[in-house]
Amino acid sequence: MEARAKEDSILLKYSNASATERVDIMFDNYQLFPRMIRKEEKKTQYKIKSEREFSRSHNRGELGVRVQTSKISSPTEDEAIANVMLDEAMKTGEITDGLLKGIDDAKTYAKEIRIISIMKMDYELLEEFVEDLDDLDCQMMKAFLIKKMYIKEIAAETGMSYDYTKRRLKTLREEITLEVVDCIEMNCGEDM
């Protein structure tokens, strides 16, 4: 239950975190972070689409599925366009005119879209810094972050001492954190 509460609040936690805390969140959840983002993205998209559909049906006094009765507008085409606009907003964080029109609490959804976009950018940056390490350093970081190997296993695999491996992983994390923080500081302060 506690893991679920942690996952449910990731948008709020991330949006209220400092740049350093954001990097820590990404490092601590390195392997799962992309899935956490996708989950929040899908939940937000679902809520927006459901509310948009409810609003449309409610405004027309409909009880069920709408059947097209004229050739003036195409609800299917309109919905497809709205979905493409929503997907684009999730990538860029930019809300186009009309995307959240008629939706209650549109400001909250706009903030969720923005923070999801920021989370994606931040993670891509962190991932790039890990990938750009020297081969051995990259191998060590990936073994630790992705494979969840113990330091002693990484030391044995690389032929280095436990103490050196532990210090090196700590140093790499600190160096990457400094570089990423320098870049993502401007996106902090996105309160939800």
Side-chain angles (χ1 to χ4, degrees), residues 58-100:
H58 184 70
N59 288 340
R60 289 190 295 259
E62 294 178 354
L63 299 175
V65 177
R66 180 173 189 255
V67 177
Q68 187 172 345
T69 56
S70 71
K71 296 184 185 211
I72 297 171
S73 85
S74 170
T76 306
E77 181 181 347
D78 294 344
E79 183 66 22
I81 291 169
N83 289 340
V84 168
M85 288 171 49
L86 184 56
D87 288 341
E88 189 62 27
M90 289 293 182
K91 290 178 193 168
T92 65
E94 298 294 321
I95 311 297
T96 56
D97 291 339
L99 179 64
L100 300 176

Side-chain angles (χ1 to χ4, degrees), residues 40-166:
E40 292 303 324
E41 181 177 1
K42 292 301 175 190
K43 284 173 33 180
T44 301
Q45 285 177 329
Y46 183 84
K47 289 186 284 185
I48 290 170
K49 288 176 185 179
S50 295
E51 195 164 331
R52 193 170 34 206
E53 182 56 37
F54 174 79
S55 180
R56 262 194 306 246
S57 295
H58 184 70
N59 288 340
R60 289 190 295 259
E62 294 178 354
L63 299 175
V65 177
R66 180 173 189 255
V67 177
Q68 187 172 345
T69 56
S70 71
K71 296 184 185 211
I72 297 171
S73 85
S74 170
T76 306
E77 181 181 347
D78 294 344
E79 183 66 22
I81 291 169
N83 289 340
V84 168
M85 288 171 49
L86 184 56
D87 288 341
E88 189 62 27
M90 289 293 182
K91 290 178 193 168
T92 65
E94 298 294 321
I95 311 297
T96 56
D97 291 339
L99 179 64
L100 300 176
K101 184 179 178 186
I103 294 180
D104 295 338
D105 212 11
K107 286 183 180 181
T108 300
Y109 290 129
K111 288 178 183 178
E112 287 181 15
I113 290 169
R114 175 102 172 104
I115 199 67
I116 288 168
S117 171
I118 289 169
M119 290 169 74
K120 286 179 181 181
M121 285 186 340
D122 292 353
Y123 184 77
E124 287 173 8
L125 182 67
L126 176 64
E127 194 175 38
E128 196 63 41
F129 278 113
V130 170
E131 290 291 330
D132 285 345
L133 293 170
D134 293 337
D135 290 342
L136 183 59
D137 289 341
C138 182
Q139 176 189 347
M140 289 171 48
M141 285 300 285
K142 284 183 172 182
F144 188 72
L145 295 170
I146 298 171
K147 295 179 184 177
K148 300 288 187 190
M149 291 174 68
Y150 293 108
I151 294 172
K152 67 180 180 180
E153 294 173 318
I154 297 169
E157 190 175 279
T158 59
M160 295 180 214
S161 72
Y162 174 84
D163 289 335
Y164 175 79
T165 303
K166 183 177 179 179

Side-chain angles (χ1 to χ4, degrees), residues 9-19 21-22 92-95 107-122 184-192:
S9 66
I10 189 67
L11 288 180
L12 183 61
K13 184 177 179 181
Y14 199 84
S15 68
N16 293 328
S18 68
E21 292 168 335
R22 287 180 177 190
T92 65
E94 298 294 321
I95 311 297
K107 286 183 180 181
T108 300
Y109 290 129
K111 288 178 183 178
E112 287 181 15
I113 290 169
R114 175 102 172 104
I115 199 67
I116 288 168
S117 171
I118 289 169
M119 290 169 74
K120 286 179 181 181
M121 285 186 340
D122 292 353
I184 70 172
E185 279 181 320
M186 68 182 75
N187 283 329
C188 290
E190 291 288 327
D191 294 333
M192 295 229 11

